[in-house]
Amino acid sequence: MTDLPMDPGLEQASAPKDAPGSAPASQKKSDRSLVGCLSQIAIALLVLLLVLAGLVAFLVGTTAGGRIVLSVAEGFLPDEVTADIQGFDGRLIDRFELQGVTFRVPTFEAEADRITVHWKGRGILRKKVHARSLVVEGLDMRVIEPGPDSLPDELEPRPQGEPKPPLSDLPVALSFDSLLVLGGFFEAPEAVRVTGIQGRISGRRRAVPGRVDDYRISASAHVDLPDFTSAEARLYGAGSMTGVQVDSVFLELLEGQAVAEGAVTWWPGITWDLIVEADEVELASQLPDPEEWPGQLSLRGSATGGVQDGELELQAAIDTVYGVVRDERLRGRLDVRLAGEEIELPAARLSWGPARVTASGTAGDVLNLEFDAIVPDLG
């Protein structure tokens, strides 16, 4: 059977034609491939975001996640700062509890049995952190001698200017409603020992949150001054990152009371600059035979000083002291400087009944005093 040749016109008519204005078939196939790739990428990104969200939720929303975050965070502390947390319970996102917390810098160490935090964690995305409440229980603070490894290299140039306070470079703004200290303790060896600290820190005004650089403080404690006396103390003032402006400190000591006001700082060192008044104190209670020296004294003066290398340094100016001792009127003034175990008496003038005494000198391992006395009758 013989094949007949096909008409060229019919062959052209049978070939498929693209619709006017439509893309070629190969381009459509390429577009479908691109859409498929983009869909796969979008799905992969969505899965990744879900995984990250789940990881964040695990880290900040569970106890196990919070422990991981805290253990990692300790590695980002400066070399001169060490911290340790024995236990964690709760959720970092809102409310949690830390147990066995230790914080240490070269000259200061603090330990807390328990720290309970209730805060708004969502604000951290806006670089704002607000604590509704923070309660510290069993706080133990000590001034310590710096170790040899923490001493600066003498050949290393010292940085210019004053060092910045510990919380001055935080990446977020901190605020709080109230911070409570329950059962605190502070000690500077051979200088002062403070026990039974109960304190509250809040905003300067009601309904106004406090900040680390602007807050009100009220506290009470028992203060021991080695080889001298002890006192019950109450403090009220306004604070910042470097210290407290003291509105008033009330001390019950030596069977009388004392009031002070002024400034106390703890950065870059522990210092104070206070005006002091004392009424009806019985200094005889510090003498070997207090019953032989009945009487009461009052005074007005000022005191400046601080703790340097773990030792107390004090300069006190008693502008006036007056009272009655053994039925004789006493008046006078004196200046005293204390550095460690050394006492310097630049000038002292006392009159007691008919007796007159002026003195100056030092007392420590060696007593070196010069005085003039007119003592007709000691009674």
Side-chain angles (χ1 to χ4, degrees):
M1 185 173 180
T2 306
D3 293 332
L4 298 176
M6 183 176 291
D7 188 347
L10 294 176
E11 184 177 0
Q12 287 182 348
S14 63
K17 292 184 178 180
D18 294 327
S22 64
S26 60
Q27 183 177 350
K28 289 183 178 181
K29 184 176 181 181
S30 175
D31 290 345
R32 286 195 297 270
S33 300
L34 179 60
V35 170
C37 291
L38 291 177
S39 299
Q40 292 176 356
I41 293 174
I43 293 173
L45 289 176
L46 180 60
V47 172
L48 178 60
L49 289 175
L50 291 174
V51 171
L52 290 176
L55 178 61
V56 171
F58 167 75
L59 293 176
V60 302
T62 66
T63 297
R67 290 171 180 163
I68 294 174
V69 172
L70 291 175
S71 63
V72 172
E74 292 176 9
F76 290 90
L77 293 174
D79 293 339
E80 67 273 13
V81 178
T82 60
D84 182 61
I85 300 172
Q86 298 296 322
F88 173 88
D89 189 23
R91 306 191 311 168
L92 282 176
I93 193 64
D94 50 19
R95 186 183 182 92
F96 59 91
E97 181 180 287
L98 308 176
Q99 300 103 23
V101 180
T102 302
F103 175 85
R104 182 177 181 135
V105 294
T107 60
F108 182 80
E109 183 179 55
E111 298 178 1
D113 293 339
R114 182 181 294 106
I115 299 177
T116 304
V117 181
H118 187 194
W119 70 309
K120 296 178 180 179
R122 292 183 295 273
I124 199 169
L125 298 177
R126 302 188 302 273
K127 295 186 177 182
K128 294 181 179 180
V129 173
H130 180 77
R132 296 174 179 173
S133 68
L134 187 149
V135 181
V136 182
E137 301 176 62
L139 179 62
D140 186 347
M141 301 171 287
R142 293 180 296 277
V143 175
I144 59 178
E145 292 288 344
D149 294 338
S150 63
L151 296 177
D153 191 343
E154 293 296 335
L155 300 179
E156 182 179 343
R158 296 185 178 182
Q160 298 296 321
E162 288 291 330
K164 293 182 179 181
L167 301 179
S168 60
D169 291 329
L170 288 176
V172 296
L174 290 179
S175 62
F176 49 85
D177 292 334
S178 68
L179 309 180
L180 299 178
V181 176
L182 306 177
F185 170 90
F186 171 78
E187 182 178 28
E190 301 181 5
V192 64
R193 188 171 184 266
V194 184
T195 59
I197 299 174
Q198 306 285 332
R200 177 185 178 87
I201 302 174
S202 59
R204 282 183 177 262
R205 297 184 303 277
R206 187 180 297 274
V208 176
R211 305 195 310 269
V212 293
D213 60 344
D214 187 12
Y215 55 86
R216 294 288 304 175
I217 182 172
S218 61
S220 62
H222 180 83
V223 181
D224 286 312
L225 300 173
D227 302 324
F228 180 56
T229 188
S230 61
E232 297 298 327
R234 301 188 305 277
L235 178 147
Y236 305 92
S240 67
M241 287 184 288
T242 60
V244 173
Q245 183 64 37
V246 179
D247 295 336
S248 59
V249 174
F250 297 95
L251 300 171
E252 298 177 6
L253 75 168
L254 301 176
E255 308 301 327
Q257 62 181 6
V259 181
E261 63 180 45
V264 177
T265 67
W266 49 73
W267 182 268
I270 300 175
T271 65
W272 55 83
D273 186 354
L274 303 170
I275 297 174
V276 182
E277 297 184 3
D279 290 314
E280 299 180 347
V281 297
E282 298 181 4
L283 292 178
S285 61
Q286 302 302 301
L287 300 177
D289 299 311
E291 65 278 358
E292 297 293 327
W293 300 90
Q296 296 176 330
L297 296 176
S298 299
L299 62 86
R300 305 290 181 267
S302 61
T304 61
V307 177
Q308 298 291 335
D309 299 326
E311 291 189 345
L312 176 67
E313 294 186 0
L314 172 68
Q315 181 172 342
I318 309 302
D319 298 324
T320 178
V321 57
Y322 58 93
V324 176
V325 176
R326 297 182 71 175
D327 296 327
E328 295 284 358
R329 187 173 298 277
L330 183 147
R331 299 188 67 86
R333 61 160 294 137
L334 60 93
D335 294 331
V336 178
R337 297 190 183 103
L338 172 66
E341 298 181 356
E342 290 290 328
I343 301 175
E344 181 182 357
L345 190 67
R349 297 193 303 272
L350 292 174
S351 64
W352 176 39
R356 303 289 186 271
V357 176
T358 60
S360 63
T362 60
D365 295 334
V366 177
L367 182 63
N368 182 15
L369 288 177
E370 295 181 2
F371 64 92
D372 293 323
I374 301 174
V375 187
D377 185 6
L378 291 176

